[in-house]
């Protein structure tokens, strides 16, 4: 009896002490442990046959999961339960007669599950059923609660949610035990959490037709299972040329059995797929001209719901995901919604508010809302991002809460301007965390749905999105940096999880810098900061690391590892090298380098390798299971829409004379000898002790000897030699010989036929300066990563926080709470950066910001936008509106570059030490980097590398 009382008390109080992430499974037998399987025996599974069919289906799946893990399949009983030492007892509160009976007999008490949403308990107990010594109970508050509890046990045993969709091996165990446990995850913080399968041709479409002959219930069974294993519950089905409802009548029935809530996308009202209008519609998709036909069309959609759990999309957009016609107005749209709700009432026989509905404020529809259009309070307002991961609008904290609440429609994949992105994962989970944290704190908690394209290859960010949606408090900022490690550990085990996590963090950072479809030979600089060379080398090094781990992993992990880790790194690294070599080819052609044609051949090889990587994915991985899945085109875009196939970048082929002819190029400029007679290296500075390269190249087919003559202050690698094609020679300074001040030198290179190239070089030696822990000016700039502040000044509850790995180059800084605003005063929160400048005069401060949108229409002083301020030393802060003057062209640049750069001008009165200050005003401003310009600075996509003091 004491055990029973303890069990009841713990169940009733556990909701105030939720556990998450703790693994109650062990392979070590303990006296108090519950045995799932050992020595060829498995605990039977007991359930009642009056439970939900979906629960029963998943119970049988659990039996197979246990067999996969422990190589023994448990017996499953729905009546006539045998006596046994151990039994797994599963049921739904207020549904399962087995659970009801145990409650009636005062064996267990689950009153706290009454009225709860999707909650489950996993509990070990003794003597709660005749003939059963120990029991493992999985009890859910409702259908999905029970299913989530079952799948939680499977996952903790070693079944990854991606066991089928990414071939993650089951973690085999000789024995499986459960520690004494009272485990619940509580209710989910976001009520509906799901994915949108979209833009699915040719990849997913080709695969689904080959594998299942279409998007039928055999296909969707795997989708439903995946969503539930990830603790999601919501789906917008594939819809381009497809109808979830019309293509297979079993689709919706099976979804309801599983407990998957079905809705339709933002432009498919009243449970009708877009393609169905082409199949069955008559006349124009225009409510002014064709309202009666449209009403009947919509009526059939509501009839077809058949009582299945659904959320009805209401409203109307133009045919085919387009805006409404120009004559559409708010009055017409409100009439459409009124008529749709009347249809819902007439078909369902209950008031409209009894049927969940959603109105998506997507693209131009938000403009109708902003101009005053309203829908009834029970309708969920689905707020949206800009298709590029930047939320457009969030609830006004001062408004009365809506009965229907608010949701978010987010994107991992998109078709539209400024460029489609569908091929590969480019989503940083850190940015997803930052944006969805905003959404949650502003009260958008009813629906979270993310456009995932073809599902693959978005496995990693899908998992994160649904994990975070369950309860953002389970992944606070302090745990965000560990997520990729925990995820890698679940898929591949602990041994290489840290290395794999590092690869996941880096490849998503690299790919988020610019979508692969937007990459070009012009994206990065070839000559400034060795940028293109550096980012390409970074990716190649990451690929080598990924390959090394692949060689070390057990063979059974190779298929999963290739899909989830190695392929995106290999394919993206190859793409970067393709564009890097193309850029070199075009520059070499201008310079008439003899290597021009060799680089052209390399481009051809890299382009072919791209197709071979895809072919390997399609034909070799998992025995060809994923054929077609990486078929999205990604090379050869000329505008927003995809090309019909990949097109190799344009290359140059030249002819070279049958003689020797010298050319010279130097770091930091596109000028070259012999076209330019006044080449100059960037300045050598004693603080930084730089090393720069000179390239001596052949413009003819015969080799030549060269000789470099310079003052002995220079350290020159290989001052003499022979050039067949090209030689890169590094030059540095012997600072023991350097005089104080700025001194000019000339480096001379002699080649064939008495050819001489003169290169100017400046050596700057200010002597001993006190710059310890200061960012020091170099070559007209200071570059600072935002996270490397000298001091952070906080005030009250306003705290500066660093979001690890967020951004294009390092990490990002913003302030919490995100619902606060700051009145700018001398005591306001700010970041301070100690800098050292060598000259006085005007400077420009460029602040690199994540391209956050003004999600709350904050201020209208001169234009709407989020604000921060910048000052130097004690000057009055300059307030910056990061959205001032925004238009379509500017927004397209921000999202394409994945950065918003705002500039302020300041005057430096005296050289030396100064303090740059960045002031907090509006929440949501995310700072990545700061670049101070004291003069002309050469172009680079990422900005100059971070400055440092080497004194």
């Amino acid at each position: 009896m004491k055990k029973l009382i303890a069990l009841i008390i713990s169940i009733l109080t556990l909701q105030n002490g939720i556990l998450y992430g703790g693994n109650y499974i062990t392979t070590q037998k303990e006296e108090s442990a519950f045995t799932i399987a050992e020595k060829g025996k498995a605990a039977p599974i007991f359930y009642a046959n009056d439970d939900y069919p979906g629960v029963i289906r998943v119970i049988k799946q659990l039996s197979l999961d246990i067999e996969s893990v422990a190589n023994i399949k448990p017996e499953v009983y729905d009546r006539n339960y045998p006596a046994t030492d151990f039994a797994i007892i599963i049921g739904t509160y207020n549904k399962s007669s087995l659970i009801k009976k145990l409650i009636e007999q005062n064996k267990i008490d689950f009153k706290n599950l009454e009225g709860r949403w999707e909650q489950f308990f996993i509990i070990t107990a003794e003597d709660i059923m005749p003939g059963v010594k120990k029991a493992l109970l999985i009890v859910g508050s409702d259908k999905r609660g029970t299913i989530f509890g079952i799948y939680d046990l499977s996952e903790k045993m070693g079944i990854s949610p991606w066991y089928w969709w990414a071939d993650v091996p089951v973690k085999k165990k000789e024995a499986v035990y459960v520690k004494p446990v009272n485990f619940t995850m509580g209710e989910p913080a976001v009520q509906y959490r799901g994915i949108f399968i979209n833009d699915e041709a040719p990849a997913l479409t080709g695969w689904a037709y080959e594998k299942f002959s279409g998007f039928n219930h055999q296909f969707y069974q795997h989708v439903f299972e995946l969503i539930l294993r990830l603790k999601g519950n919501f789906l917008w089905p594939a819809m381009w040329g497809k109808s979830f409802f019309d293509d297979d009548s079993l689709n919706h029935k099976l979804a309801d059995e599983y407990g998957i809530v079905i809705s339709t996308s933002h432009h498919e009202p009243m449970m009708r797929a877009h393609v169905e209008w082409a199949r069955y519609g008559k006349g124009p998709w225009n409510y002014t001209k064709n309202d009666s036909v449209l009403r009947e069309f919509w009526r059939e959609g509501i009839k077809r719901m058949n009582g299945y759990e659904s959320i009805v999309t209401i409203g109307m957009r133009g045919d085919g995901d387009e805006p409404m016609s120009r004559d559409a107005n708010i009055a017409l749209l409100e009439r459409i919604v009124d008529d749709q709700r009347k249809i819902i009432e007439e078909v369902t026989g209950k008031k409209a508010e009894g049927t969940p509905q959603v109105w998506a404020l997507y693209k131009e529809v938000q403009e109708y809302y902003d101009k005053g259009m309203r829908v009834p309070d029970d309708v969920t307002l689905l707020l949206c991002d800009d298709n590029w991961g930047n939320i457009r609008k969030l609830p006004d904290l001062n408004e009365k809460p809506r009965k229907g609440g608010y949701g978010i429609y987010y994107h991992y994949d998109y078709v539209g301007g400024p460029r489609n992105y569908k091929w590969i994962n480019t989503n940083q989970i850190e940015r997803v965390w930052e944006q969805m944290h905003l959404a949650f704190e502003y009260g958008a908690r009813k629906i979270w749905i993310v456009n995932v394209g073809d599902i693959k290859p978005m496995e990693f960010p899908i998992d994160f999105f649904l994990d975070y949606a369950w309860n953002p408090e389970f992944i606070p900022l302090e745990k965000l940096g560990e997520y990729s490690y925990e995820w890698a550990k679940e898929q591949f085990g602990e041994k290489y999880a840290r290395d794999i996590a590092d690869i996941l963090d880096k490849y998503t950072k690299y790919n988020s810098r610019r979508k692969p479809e937007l990459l070009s030979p012009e994206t990065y600089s070839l000559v400034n900061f060795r940028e293109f060379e550096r980012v390409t080398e970074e990716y190649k090094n990451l690929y080598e690391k990924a390959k090394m781990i692949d060689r070390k992993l057990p063979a059974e992990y190779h298929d999963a590892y290739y899909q989830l880790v190695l392929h995106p790194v290999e394919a993206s690294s190859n793409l970067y090298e393709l564009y890097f070599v193309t850029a070199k080819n075009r520059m070499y052609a201008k310079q008439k380098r003899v290597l021009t044609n060799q680089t052209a051949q390399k481009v051809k090889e890299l382009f072919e390798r791209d197709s071979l990587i895809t072919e390997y994915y399609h034909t070799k991985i998992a025995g060809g299971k994923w054929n077609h899945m990486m078929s999205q085109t990604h090379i050869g875009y000329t505008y927003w829409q995809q090309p019909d196939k990949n097109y190799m970048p344009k290359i140059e082929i030249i002819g070279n004379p049958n003689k020797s002819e010298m050319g010279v190029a130097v770091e930091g400029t596109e000028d070259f000898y012999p076209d330019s007679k006044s080449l100059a290296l960037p300045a050598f500075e004693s603080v930084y002790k730089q090393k720069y390269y000179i390239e001596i190249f052949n413009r003819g087919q015969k080799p030549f000897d060269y000789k470099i003559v310079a003052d002995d202050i220079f350290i020159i690698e290989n001052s003499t030699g022979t050039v067949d094609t090209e030689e890169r020679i590094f030059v540095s300074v012997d600072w023991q010989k350097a005089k104080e001040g700025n001194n000019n030198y000339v480096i001379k290179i002699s080649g064939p036929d008495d050819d001489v190239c003169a290169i100017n070089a400046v050596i700057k030696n200010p002597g001993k300066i006190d710059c310890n822990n200061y960012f020091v000016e170099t070559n007209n700039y200071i570059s600072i990563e935002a996270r490397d502040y000298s001091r952070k000044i906080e005030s009250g509850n306003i705290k500066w926080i660093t979001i690890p790995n967020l951004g294009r180059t390092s990490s990002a800084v913003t302030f919490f709470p995100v619902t606060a605003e700051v009145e700018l005063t001398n005591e306001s929160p700010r970041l301070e950066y100690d800098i050292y400048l060598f000259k006085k005069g005007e400077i420009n401060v460029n602040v690199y910001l994540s391209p956050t949108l003004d999600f709350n229409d904050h201020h209208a002083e001169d234009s709407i936008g989020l604000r921060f301020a910048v000052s130097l030393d004690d000057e009055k802060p300059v307030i910056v509106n990061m959205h001032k003057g925004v238009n379509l062209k500017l927004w397209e640049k921000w999202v394409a570059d994945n950065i918003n750069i705002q500039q302020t001008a300041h005057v430096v009165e005296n050289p030396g030490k100064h303090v740059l200050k960045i002031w907090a005003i509006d929440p949501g401003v995310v700072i990545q980097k700061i670049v101070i310009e004291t003069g002309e600075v050469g172009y680079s996509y990422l900005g100059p590398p971070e400055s440092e003091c080497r004194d």
Side-chain angles (χ1 to χ4, degrees):
M1 188 63 184
K2 290 181 179 179
K3 292 180 180 178
L4 171 60
I5 293 172
L7 173 62
I8 292 173
I9 291 172
S10 63
I11 293 172
L12 291 174
T13 60
L14 186 58
Q15 58 184 318
N16 295 317
I18 293 170
L19 303 172
Y20 182 66
N23 195 341
Y24 43 79
I25 294 293
T26 179
T27 57
Q28 303 299 315
K29 188 170 186 178
E30 303 170 5
E31 184 178 349
S32 57
F34 176 90
T35 302
I36 291 179
E38 70 172 359
K39 298 178 181 179
K41 293 182 179 181
I45 301 173
F46 296 173
Y47 73 96
N49 61 12
D50 58 358
D51 212 324
Y52 293 102
V55 169
I56 294 171
R57 177 189 285 268
V58 176
I59 286 171
K60 294 175 180 177
Q61 177 70 58
L62 175 63
S63 175
L64 296 175
D65 285 355
I66 293 172
E67 182 182 26
S68 296
V69 172
N71 203 32
I72 179 67
K73 185 178 180 181
E75 296 294 330
V76 180
Y77 297 91
D78 63 0
R79 63 177 74 83
N80 301 325
Y81 310 112
T84 179
D85 288 344
F86 302 94
I88 302 172
I89 301 173
I90 302 175
T92 307
Y93 179 74
N94 275 347
K95 177 65 175 174
S96 164
S97 58
L98 175 57
I99 300 302
K100 287 180 180 179
K101 185 176 181 180
L102 293 175
I103 293 173
E104 290 168 0
Q105 294 173 346
N106 291 322
K107 297 294 185 181
I108 55 174
D109 189 341
F110 283 100
K111 288 180 181 177
N112 60 320
L113 285 178
E114 185 74 45
R116 306 288 283 181
W117 180 267
E118 298 181 348
Q119 186 170 358
F120 65 87
F121 283 98
I122 297 176
I123 298 169
T124 51
E126 297 180 11
D127 302 323
I128 68 166
M129 190 171 176
V132 177
K133 293 181 179 180
K134 287 187 178 181
L136 177 67
L137 291 106
I138 302 175
V139 182
S141 61
D142 49 27
K143 180 198 308 183
R144 285 188 293 272
T146 308
I147 290 173
F148 291 152
I150 296 168
Y151 278 145
D152 194 82
L153 177 63
S154 288
E155 186 173 1
K156 296 294 197 306
M157 286 192 302
I159 308 282
S160 167
W162 299 99
Y163 82 96
W164 193 86
W165 278 96
D167 304 295
V168 176
V170 173
K171 293 176 177 60
K172 303 286 187 179
K173 297 175 176 64
E174 293 184 3
V176 183
Y177 307 99
V178 178
K179 305 171 188 176
V181 66
N182 268 334
F183 178 77
T184 182
M185 290 174 63
E187 292 183 289
V190 177
Q191 188 170 6
Y192 297 102
R193 312 164 304 281
I195 63 174
F196 177 22
I197 302 172
N198 193 28
D199 311 326
E200 62 272 8
L204 186 65
T205 297
W207 174 81
Y209 275 92
E210 181 177 290
K211 191 84 176 176
F212 301 105
S213 301
F215 288 77
N216 50 33
H217 71 280
Q218 289 99 336
F219 163 78
Y220 276 110
Q221 178 180 343
H222 292 286
V223 176
F224 301 154
E225 182 187 339
L226 173 67
I227 292 172
L228 291 169
R229 285 184 183 267
L230 295 172
K231 295 185 175 67
N233 61 7
F234 188 57
L235 176 67
W236 283 358
M239 47 72 57
W240 285 110
K242 306 163 194 70
S243 169
F244 179 80
F245 317 96
D246 198 44
D247 294 343
D248 186 343
S249 61
L250 294 178
N251 281 345
H252 206 172
K253 181 178 185 296
L254 184 62
D256 192 67
E257 179 180 318
Y258 265 111
I260 297 296
V261 182
I262 296 296
S263 185
T264 47
S265 71
H266 53 86
H267 67 103
E268 298 177 294
M270 301 292 279
M271 304 303 287
R272 296 304 299 257
H274 167 254
V275 73
E276 291 183 69
W277 183 251
R279 294 177 184 176
Y280 308 117
K282 296 178 181 178
W285 180 267
N286 185 307
Y287 204 70
T288 303
K289 300 176 181 179
N290 203 22
D291 57 344
S292 61
V293 174
L294 281 163
R295 282 194 296 271
E296 287 308 306
F297 178 73
W298 291 335
R299 184 180 299 274
E300 288 303 311
I302 303 303
K303 285 181 180 178
R304 196 172 53 189
M305 280 188 351
N306 198 31
Y308 298 145
E309 192 175 5
S310 309
I311 299 179
V312 179
T313 297
I314 61 172
M316 187 176 183
R317 295 189 69 218
D319 192 15
D321 196 12
E322 295 293 332
M324 292 275 277
S325 60
R326 290 185 178 180
D327 59 353
N329 56 58
I330 289 175
L332 172 63
L333 291 166
E334 289 180 339
R335 175 189 156 207
I336 290 170
V337 170
D338 287 343
D339 289 352
Q340 289 172 339
R341 286 170 63 86
K342 288 176 184 175
I343 292 170
I344 291 171
E345 289 184 340
E346 291 165 1
V347 174
T348 64
K350 55 186 179 182
K351 291 184 177 181
E353 54 262 36
T355 300
Q357 298 153 62
V358 62
W359 183 40
L361 304 188
Y362 183 71
K363 288 191 174 180
E364 81 288 345
V365 181
Q366 183 180 310
E367 296 174 18
Y368 303 141
Y369 181 85
D370 291 340
K371 291 176 181 177
M373 179 177 171
R374 292 297 182 264
V375 294
D377 194 58
D378 61 276
V379 177
T380 300
L381 295 187
L382 189 66
L383 308 172
C384 305
D385 69 356
D386 60 354
N387 304 302
W388 290 75
N390 309 297
I391 293 175
R392 296 177 66 201
K393 191 177 191 68
L394 287 173
D396 187 334
L397 294 173
N398 297 316
E399 283 190 359
K400 178 183 176 182
R402 290 183 60 82
K403 180 181 177 182
Y406 298 86
I408 295 292
Y409 170 36
Y410 202 74
H411 283 75
Y412 287 166
D413 168 288
Y414 179 57
V415 168
R419 189 67 54 88
N420 295 354
Y421 63 95
K422 304 189 295 177
W423 173 54
I424 211 161
N425 177 31
T426 61
N427 303 282
Q428 277 193 297
I429 63 169
E430 296 84 1
R431 179 62 169 168
V432 178
W433 184 92
E434 183 266 328
Q435 287 289 288
M436 299 312 293
H437 172 78
L438 275 174
F440 188 77
E441 292 300 309
Y442 276 80
R445 304 181 180 187
K446 189 73 170 182
I447 300 171
W448 283 12
I449 186 163
V450 58
N451 186 326
V452 300
D454 302 307
I455 299 178
K456 300 177 71 65
M458 302 299 173
E459 299 95 338
F460 177 50
I462 289 172
D463 214 330
F464 177 80
F465 187 89
L466 294 178
D467 274 350
Y468 195 59
W470 181 273
N471 193 334
E473 292 181 3
F474 291 165
I475 312 178
L477 177 66
E478 296 76 20
K479 292 185 179 180
L480 177 60
E482 287 294 294
Y483 185 87
S484 54
Y485 164 71
E486 294 294 339
W487 192 84
K489 184 169 68 172
E490 180 176 61
Q491 315 312 320
F492 305 108
E494 190 168 8
K495 187 173 183 180
Y496 300 107
R498 287 288 175 199
D499 287 328
I500 294 171
D502 180 63
I503 294 167
L504 292 171
D505 292 342
K506 284 179 177 172
Y507 102 71
T508 52
K509 174 184 284 292
Y510 298 164
N511 278 357
S512 74
R513 288 170 171 170
R514 194 171 186 83
K515 306 296 186 186
E517 292 86 347
L518 275 161
L519 281 175
S520 77
E522 293 75 39
T523 300
Y524 294 95
S525 174
L526 272 178
V527 297
N528 295 317
F529 316 113
R530 304 173 204 162
E531 185 182 48
F532 215 153
E533 179 180 335
R534 179 165 43 85
V535 296
T536 302
E537 194 63 27
E538 284 176 347
Y539 233 138
K540 288 176 74 173
N541 291 339
L542 193 65
Y543 173 50
E544 291 301 321
K545 179 175 181 177
K547 281 199 305 181
M548 177 189 70
I549 294 171
D550 184 52
R551 289 191 292 267
K552 293 180 178 179
L553 282 170
E556 63 265 25
Y557 283 99
H558 290 332
D559 286 345
Y561 183 75
Y562 190 79
Q563 293 167 64
L564 299 176
V565 183
L566 184 54
H567 173 264
V569 177
E570 179 181 30
S572 300
S573 173
N574 185 76
L575 189 69
Y576 261 73
E577 189 174 5
L578 170 71
Y579 283 119
F580 171 57
V581 177
T582 301
K584 286 177 64 176
N585 167 260
R586 295 176 184 178
M587 185 179 75
Y588 282 14
K590 291 178 182 177
Q591 297 172 345
K592 295 183 172 58
R593 295 200 194 197
V594 73
L595 279 180
T596 300
N597 296 353
Q598 187 173 317
T599 57
Q601 179 59 35
K602 181 65 173 178
V603 170
K604 294 177 182 178
E605 293 169 2
L606 292 165
F607 182 72
E608 182 183 13
R609 183 166 179 253
D610 177 89
S611 66
L612 295 176
I613 292 169
T614 301
E615 182 182 10
Y616 181 81
Y617 193 110
H618 288 169
T619 62
K620 301 300 182 183
I621 294 300
K625 177 180 176 180
W626 301 110
N627 190 30
H628 302 289
M629 197 58 86
M630 293 307 302
S631 297
Q632 298 286 3
T633 54
H634 49 280
I635 306 173
Y637 275 78
T638 56
Y639 69 120
W640 71 265
Q641 185 57 286
Q642 68 196 48
D644 57 350
K645 63 179 182 179
N646 289 327
Y647 287 91
M648 188 180 76
K650 181 184 176 183
I651 53 175
E652 300 291 340
I653 303 293
I654 66 171
N656 294 95
N658 188 26
K659 63 176 185 176
S660 57
E661 182 179 337
M662 184 175 74
V664 178
V666 299
E667 185 167 350
T669 179
E670 294 182 2
D671 294 339
F672 65 95
Y673 177 87
D675 280 26
S676 174
K677 305 298 183 183
S678 58
L679 296 182
L681 286 164
F684 294 92
E685 297 157 318
S686 60
V687 174
Y688 284 90
K689 299 178 173 57
Q690 298 98 330
K691 180 185 289 188
Y692 300 118
Y693 68 76
I694 297 171
E695 288 184 340
I696 307 172
F697 55 88
N698 202 339
R699 290 155 54 97
Q701 297 183 31
K702 292 184 177 181
F704 62 86
D705 295 331
Y706 71 89
K707 183 178 181 180
I708 303 176
V709 176
D711 190 285
D712 66 358
I713 195 173
F714 291 103
I715 301 170
I716 299 174
E717 301 174 1
N718 303 320
S719 59
T720 61
T722 301
V723 174
D724 290 310
T725 55
E726 66 182 21
E727 293 291 328
R728 174 176 282 192
I729 297 148
F730 283 94
V731 179
S732 56
V733 170
D734 183 348
W735 291 103
Q736 299 296 321
K737 299 177 180 179
K739 297 178 290 185
E740 285 194 16
N742 296 344
N743 296 281
N744 298 316
Y745 297 87
V746 176
I747 300 171
K748 293 184 178 181
I749 305 173
S750 58
D753 303 322
D754 298 323
D755 205 359
V756 177
C757 171
I759 301 171
N760 295 313
V762 177
I763 296 178
K764 296 182 177 181
N765 181 12
K768 184 69 175 177
I769 62 172
D770 180 14
C771 65
N772 190 36
N773 296 322
Y774 276 69
F775 292 97
V776 182
E777 178 185 355
T778 175
N779 281 303
N780 295 333
Y781 71 85
I782 297 175
S783 179
I784 308 170
E785 296 293 346
R787 67 174 296 169
D788 295 330
Y789 47 79
S790 304
R791 288 166 298 282
K792 59 177 180 178
I793 287 78
E794 299 173 333
S795 176
N797 69 331
I798 305 296
K799 306 295 181 185
W800 291 102
I801 60 101
T802 297
I803 304 176
N805 197 51
L806 173 59
R808 304 194 309 175
T809 50
S810 181
S811 298
V813 181
T814 188
F815 72 80
F816 277 10
V818 294
T819 53
E821 290 189 27
V822 178
E823 183 179 350
L824 186 59
T825 70
N826 290 336
E827 306 303 318
S828 290
R830 61 193 180 273
L831 300 171
E832 295 187 348
Y833 300 87
D834 293 336
I835 62 174
Y836 195 103
L837 298 167
F838 286 111
K839 49 184 176 288
K840 64 180 182 178
E842 291 187 0
I843 64 170
N844 291 323
V845 176
N846 299 284
V847 183
Y848 288 53
L849 307 165
S850 293
T852 307
L853 300 179
D854 183 16
F855 51 84
N856 235 354
D857 298 343
H858 277 77
H859 307 285
E861 295 167 357
D862 53 1
S863 65
I864 292 172
L866 299 179
R867 302 165 304 163
F868 64 100
V870 182
S871 67
L872 186 68
D873 299 325
D874 295 324
E875 71 176 359
K876 182 180 178 180
V878 177
I879 295 177
V880 181
N881 177 345
M882 67 178 285
H883 298 110
K884 184 177 181 179
V886 64
N887 53 35
L888 177 62
K889 184 176 181 180
L890 189 54
W891 168 82
E892 287 186 338
K893 177 173 175 55
W894 289 345
V895 296
D897 295 348
N898 201 19
I899 208 76
N900 174 343
I901 302 175
Q902 294 293 318
Q903 186 177 91
T904 57
H906 307 265
V907 175
V908 178
E909 298 293 343
N910 296 293
K913 296 178 178 181
H914 297 274
V915 180
L916 180 73
K917 302 173 185 178
I918 307 294
W919 301 76
I921 302 180
D922 292 326
V925 177
V926 180
I927 309 163
Q928 295 187 19
K929 184 171 182 167
I930 303 157
V931 176
I932 303 167
E933 296 175 342
T934 62
E936 184 177 348
V937 179
Y939 165 79
S940 61
Y941 180 69
L942 298 175
E946 186 171 33
S947 304
E948 55 184 304
C949 179
R950 298 181 181 177
D951 191 279

